[in-house]
Amino acid sequence: MFKRFEMNGFVRELYSRIRRKFHITITSLFLLSMASFVVVLGTFTLKLLVSEGSSSCSLKHNRFAPPPMSSPYSYIFSNFGFRSSLPHSPFNSSLESKTLIGAPDHNGTLHSVTDDRELMRRAVVICPNVTESSENLTPKVAFMFLCRGSLPLAPLWEKFFMGNEGLYSIYIHTSPEFVDEPSVTSMFYKRKIPSKPVQWGSATMVDAERRLLANALLDCANERFVLLSEACIPLFNFTTVYNYLINTNQSFIGSFDDPRPTGRGRYNKRMLPKVSLTDWRKGSQWFEVNRKLALNIISDEIYYPLFRNYCNPPCYVDEHYVPTLVNKISPELNTNRSITWVDWSKGGPHPTQYVRKDVSMELLNRIRQGFDCTYNGQTRSICFLFARKFHPITLEPLLRMAPALLGFN
């Protein structure tokens, strides 16, 4: 009996020792596993922090920043509010322009940038020094068509452009719903830019103008920028128009102080103090500008928001914004006249529209040579290079008159 009791005690003692060693082993394994986990987690966290740090450094190194004040266009950034903290990915003009600009002649219309702010940022930085960028490029004139749909007078314009490849660029802003394309042989084929809806009399009209300018500025060879409509026609051959624009440093923007209710009467005092009544100007929507003013217009973040907010019908942004802006910042660069003839003699909200019976040699010659103006400090009789508003039905008589009047083939 005593031996049985002694045996039972031995078994219990052995069981207790085995259990303690088992617990110690399990605890050791658990602690070892936790230590390994902490080491792995620490290594992963360290790598992640290093990766984020290098990424941040890379971003700061490549982030778009205003050019040094020695740049001829540094005034754009200091005066018009473009900042280095723009909410967009950095743009390297030397690398990304190849994907942004798809046309073989460096024309910047073949892209898919639909964000206006990003588009205009790229347009500013792609040619930071226009003199160096374009010194080996033949200067071109950008013809920017702002229209609702097709270009009914395109056959006349094609005769105008024919034989002058490399001296012009074409950009078309149309209704986004309009998807038709002309023949692949047409100069207007695939010249549409990413467009947005435009409402007559609203700021969307100027949005479209700025969009056209930004697209045209992507081509560093473009030195002159003409805004036209689908109802515009050329009054002279291409050589005359090209030489007239390329051989002057001034721009052609109608800008005058109109004391009437349709002028000063549209001014809103809420534009003070940045835009005063003495700054306020009116002019034709159809302008022609050099590259410097084009950059000013698209990079303006000081004055344009005021016009968007406080110039509403019967105030029309397209009649006041550009004339007032140029009067504020660079009046010496403007001739204060438009080179697109428009007949407002009948009054009303829209100019005279010419139809088939109105088109004659007498009418066109009167517009071409019936005025005097100043060009490069001298009096000239050629004051208008384009004219509007011509109905599509005028195409046939215009084509008939073109060879003798305009020197087209």
Side-chain angles (χ1 to χ4, degrees):
M1 190 73 178
F2 177 77
K3 289 184 178 180
R4 183 181 298 176
F5 176 79
E6 193 176 42
M7 181 63 68
N8 289 339
F10 174 78
V11 170
R12 282 195 299 270
E13 178 67 20
L14 179 62
Y15 176 76
S16 176
R17 290 183 179 182
I18 293 174
R19 186 176 181 181
R20 282 199 302 272
K21 289 184 178 181
F22 179 78
H23 284 171
I24 292 173
T25 302
I26 293 298
T27 302
S28 300
L29 290 173
F30 175 76
L31 292 175
L32 183 61
S33 299
M34 288 299 295
S36 300
F37 175 77
V38 170
V39 171
V40 172
L41 180 61
T43 303
F44 175 80
T45 303
L46 180 61
K47 288 183 177 180
L48 181 61
L49 289 174
V50 171
S51 175
E52 288 183 348
S54 63
S55 176
S56 176
C57 292
S58 175
L59 180 60
K60 291 178 181 178
H61 178 73
N62 291 311
R63 182 175 293 171
F64 164 71
M69 293 306 292
S70 60
S71 168
Y73 291 102
S74 58
Y75 65 89
I76 292 172
F77 300 93
S78 60
N79 291 340
F80 291 98
F82 269 97
R83 294 174 287 273
S84 61
S85 57
L86 292 175
H88 302 284
S89 59
F91 174 69
N92 185 318
S93 61
S94 64
L95 298 177
E96 295 188 34
S97 61
K98 293 181 179 179
T99 58
L100 178 67
I101 304 174
D105 63 346
H106 305 289
N107 198 324
T109 60
L110 300 184
H111 65 84
S112 58
V113 179
T114 57
D115 179 80
D116 286 346
R117 184 171 173 80
E118 171 67 6
L119 171 65
M120 303 202 187
R121 184 179 72 94
R122 295 187 179 197
V124 169
V125 302
I126 197 168
C127 305
N129 189 329
V130 69
T131 302
E132 293 179 3
S133 300
S134 60
E135 62 182 0
N136 296 321
L137 300 174
T138 301
K140 296 195 293 186
V141 177
F143 292 82
M144 308 177 301
F145 291 87
L146 177 57
C147 51
R148 288 166 291 186
S150 64
L151 290 171
L153 302 177
L156 181 67
W157 282 102
E158 288 176 345
K159 289 185 177 295
F160 170 79
F161 289 121
M162 189 176 299
N164 296 285
E165 291 72 16
L167 299 178
Y168 66 87
S169 303
I170 297 173
Y171 305 85
I172 304 173
H173 188 293
T174 186
S175 171
E177 292 79 22
F178 183 77
V179 296
D180 293 347
E181 284 284 352
S183 166
V184 294
T185 60
S186 171
M187 292 134 181
F188 296 98
Y189 180 71
K190 295 293 185 182
R191 303 321 305 160
K192 288 189 292 187
I193 68 170
S195 305
K196 296 181 181 180
V198 173
Q199 182 180 359
W200 183 85
S202 74
T204 58
M205 187 79 75
V206 177
D207 290 339
E209 295 173 7
R210 284 158 57 99
R211 209 170 288 128
L212 280 164
L213 283 171
N215 276 273
L217 283 165
L218 294 176
D219 185 344
C220 299
N222 285 334
E223 292 189 6
R224 310 294 303 199
F225 305 79
V226 187
L227 181 66
L228 301 162
S229 77
E230 71 267 38
C232 286
I233 65 167
L235 292 172
F236 295 91
N237 61 33
F238 182 89
T239 301
T240 301
V241 171
Y242 180 85
N243 289 335
Y244 196 99
L245 299 179
I246 292 295
N247 293 323
T248 183
N249 292 324
Q250 290 193 298
S251 296
F252 300 93
I253 304 166
S255 179
F256 62 97
D257 180 12
D258 184 355
R260 299 175 300 172
T262 54
R264 291 185 193 173
R266 295 173 176 176
Y267 173 73
N268 192 325
K269 292 182 179 179
R270 285 182 288 182
M271 292 186 176
L272 285 169
K274 294 178 179 177
V275 178
S276 67
L277 182 60
T278 56
D279 298 324
W280 190 252
R281 292 293 183 271
K282 182 180 179 180
S284 171
Q285 173 187 5
W286 312 105
F287 59 74
E288 191 281 338
V289 295
N290 60 20
R291 191 173 187 93
K292 182 177 180 180
L293 279 184
L295 284 164
N296 277 326
I297 293 170
I298 70 161
S299 58
D300 171 28
E301 293 184 347
I302 296 176
Y303 304 106
Y304 188 45
L306 296 175
F307 282 83
R308 288 186 62 90
N309 293 332
Y310 303 125
C311 181
N312 299 304
C315 177
Y316 302 104
V317 183
D318 58 279
E319 293 183 4
H320 293 281
Y321 169 62
V322 172
T324 302
L325 176 68
V326 174
N327 180 58
K328 285 279 294 183
I329 62 172
S330 299
E332 74 284 355
L333 295 180
N334 188 27
T335 60
N336 293 325
R337 65 181 178 89
S338 173
I339 52 173
T340 299
W341 160 264
V342 184
D343 183 2
W344 289 97
S345 62
K346 295 182 180 179
H350 300 286
T352 299
Q353 183 179 54
Y354 297 106
V355 294
R356 184 186 181 97
K357 65 181 179 61
D358 300 320
V359 178
S360 65
M361 295 283 286
E362 180 184 2
L363 169 68
L364 297 180
N365 277 327
R366 186 169 70 248
I367 299 173
R368 281 160 45 100
Q369 306 287 349
F371 303 89
D372 289 328
C373 58
T374 301
Y375 174 83
N376 285 348
Q378 299 181 344
T379 301
R380 295 281 297 270
S381 61
I382 298 179
C383 302
F384 298 102
L385 304 181
F386 313 99
R388 69 184 302 268
K389 188 176 183 181
F390 286 81
H391 191 277
I393 202 172
T394 62
L395 177 61
E396 191 274 330
L398 286 171
L399 286 175
R400 190 173 62 249
M401 298 175 190
L405 187 68
L406 308 177
F408 297 166
N409 293 325

